[in-house]
Amino acid sequence: MNEGRVLVRETSEEELLAAIFPLLPTGAATLVGPGDDSAVVSAPDGRFVVSTDVLVERRHFRPEWSTGYDVGWRAAMQNLADIAAMGARPTSLVVSLVIPGHLPVEWVTGLARGLAAACAPSGAAVVGGDLSSGDDVVVAVTVHGDLGGRAPVLRSGAQVSDVVAHAGRRGWSAAGLALLDHDLGPLDQELVDAYLRPEPPLVAGTAAADSGATAMLDLSDGLLRDAGRLARASGVGIDLDLGAFRSDLDRLVVAASAVRAADGPLSGTGAGPADFGAEIALARDWVLTGGEDHGLLATFPAGTSLPEPFRAVGRVVARLESVPGADGAPDPARAAPAVTVDGEAPRAHGVGWDHFRG
């Protein structure tokens, strides 16, 4: 089959599966792989960690930007990161794929190659799934992981005085998306690749668990939004040190300048290309609210030697359930924020990634 010339609608399901199966990653935990009604995967720990996620065309990716390989890579990585965030090792994935008939078979086999490349370092296998036709591409992935005898690291375990630590990149994916959205992709391919093919620090998850992390989660929806989820689950507050992200801010400022220049002085985003303060503000927004970098945010007891590549970015503080009103009595309407930045509520920033908004 000449994949580059044959369209999906010109093949049968059996022919398409025959083209995909040899490309899918295999793993040591797979006892029965694709081809039967169900797969069989070993669970040495006696427990499975399970997560699921979905990619929808024109919501999570645009076909004019993303190849099949890119989509396969992203579909795997965003799920593998969820397993890592529990302190587990990914073992297997099940992938369901909805594809329109006009797609080249080459796009679909590219997706399988992207899945395989993303899974290879962790040894996770694609053990089955389903195919269907539809108007848009939808990739749904369910991933399983093994805790290896560890207790799962939950969002709810952070304690006052813990150190807040981060592993991975911050704001790079949001910057890459902004460059693509403004037709500025060639300006910085590394940032564009951070959006198209994120690289979560997967091994950092088990390292954090082994080092005594008290809480952890995958940063898929932005630092402020996800740190707030961890803080509320733990019943604490988190104060972030923006200076801890200086290297990310410095890396993003050139892209922010280009995006603002493309927006122009009459746009609603700022005063124009000469407004350096607004460029810094945009880079700061990417760091604080940009999604889909899939780094890990974790808390550790004070004095813990942080495992690589984690670095301290804040601290866990006591959270007041309410703030006194004018009469001195607690005012529930003035509840203290779950997350502060350098001791202040981040009022000037958006709330973060939201898949239900454009």
Side-chain angles (χ1 to χ4, degrees):
M1 180 189 300
N2 187 334
E3 296 173 0
R5 295 179 179 273
V6 177
L7 304 181
V8 167
R9 63 171 169 256
E10 298 170 342
T11 68
S12 68
E13 182 177 357
E14 288 75 15
E15 289 172 328
L16 193 56
L17 289 173
I20 293 172
F21 278 171
L23 305 175
L24 298 178
T26 59
T30 305
L31 302 179
V32 177
D36 280 87
D37 291 322
S38 299
V40 180
V41 180
S42 64
D45 182 82
R47 299 168 293 174
F48 258 133
V49 182
V50 183
S51 184
T52 189
D53 217 332
V54 67
L55 286 175
V56 180
E57 183 179 348
R58 291 193 292 272
R59 170 58 61 174
H60 300 99
F61 68 92
R62 297 188 191 176
E64 61 268 30
W65 297 343
S66 301
T67 65
Y69 188 101
D70 294 332
V71 175
W73 178 281
R74 286 188 68 198
M77 284 299 189
Q78 68 184 30
N79 282 275
L80 298 175
D82 284 334
I83 296 299
M86 299 297 290
R89 179 182 60 84
T91 57
S92 60
L93 296 83
V94 178
V95 182
S96 293
L97 182 61
V98 178
I99 46 177
H102 63 75
L103 274 184
V105 170
E106 182 180 39
W107 195 97
V108 184
T109 56
L111 182 140
R113 290 185 173 94
L115 284 167
C119 290
S122 65
V126 174
V127 297
D130 191 26
L131 283 176
S132 183
S133 61
D135 295 332
D136 296 312
V137 175
V138 178
V139 186
V141 177
T142 297
V143 59
H144 299 86
D146 184 74
L147 285 162
R150 305 176 189 87
V153 184
L154 309 180
R155 299 179 179 186
S156 55
Q159 301 293 317
V160 173
S161 80
D162 279 358
V163 173
V164 180
H166 175 265
R169 296 165 168 171
R170 280 302 317 138
W172 289 40
S173 179
L177 174 58
L179 290 174
L180 287 170
D181 202 34
H182 288 77
D183 294 322
L184 296 170
L187 176 70
D188 195 323
Q189 190 61 46
E190 190 174 24
L191 294 181
V192 169
D193 286 345
Y195 167 71
L196 296 177
R197 302 180 187 180
E199 296 186 3
L202 299 178
V203 297
T206 53
D210 291 339
S211 296
T214 54
M216 185 160 53
L217 83 173
D218 162 38
L219 290 176
S220 57
D221 295 331
L223 179 60
L224 292 181
R225 180 182 287 270
D226 285 328
R229 289 167 173 159
L230 189 152
R232 286 186 290 273
S234 296
V236 298
I238 288 179
D239 185 47
L240 297 170
D241 174 13
L242 186 60
F245 297 97
R246 177 56 54 191
S247 61
D248 292 304
L249 290 165
D250 291 344
R251 179 66 180 78
L252 300 176
V253 72
V254 173
S257 177
V259 168
R260 283 189 45 76
D263 282 335
L266 299 181
S267 74
T269 58
D275 189 352
F276 188 66
E279 294 163 6
I280 294 293
L282 179 56
R284 186 183 300 120
D285 279 347
W286 286 339
V287 166
L288 291 176
T289 68
E292 299 184 339
D293 285 304
H294 296 293
L296 297 177
L297 190 73
T299 58
F300 297 86
T304 299
S305 179
L306 299 180
E308 291 293 337
F310 280 96
R311 66 182 189 276
V313 297
R315 62 194 179 95
V316 178
V317 298
R319 185 185 178 205
L320 298 175
E321 291 303 320
S322 61
V323 177
D327 60 357
D331 181 359
R334 301 177 61 206
V339 181
T340 54
V341 179
D342 297 328
E344 297 183 359
R347 296 185 183 90
H349 304 284
V351 296
W353 226 241
D354 191 333
H355 296 294
F356 289 92
R357 297 190 303 181

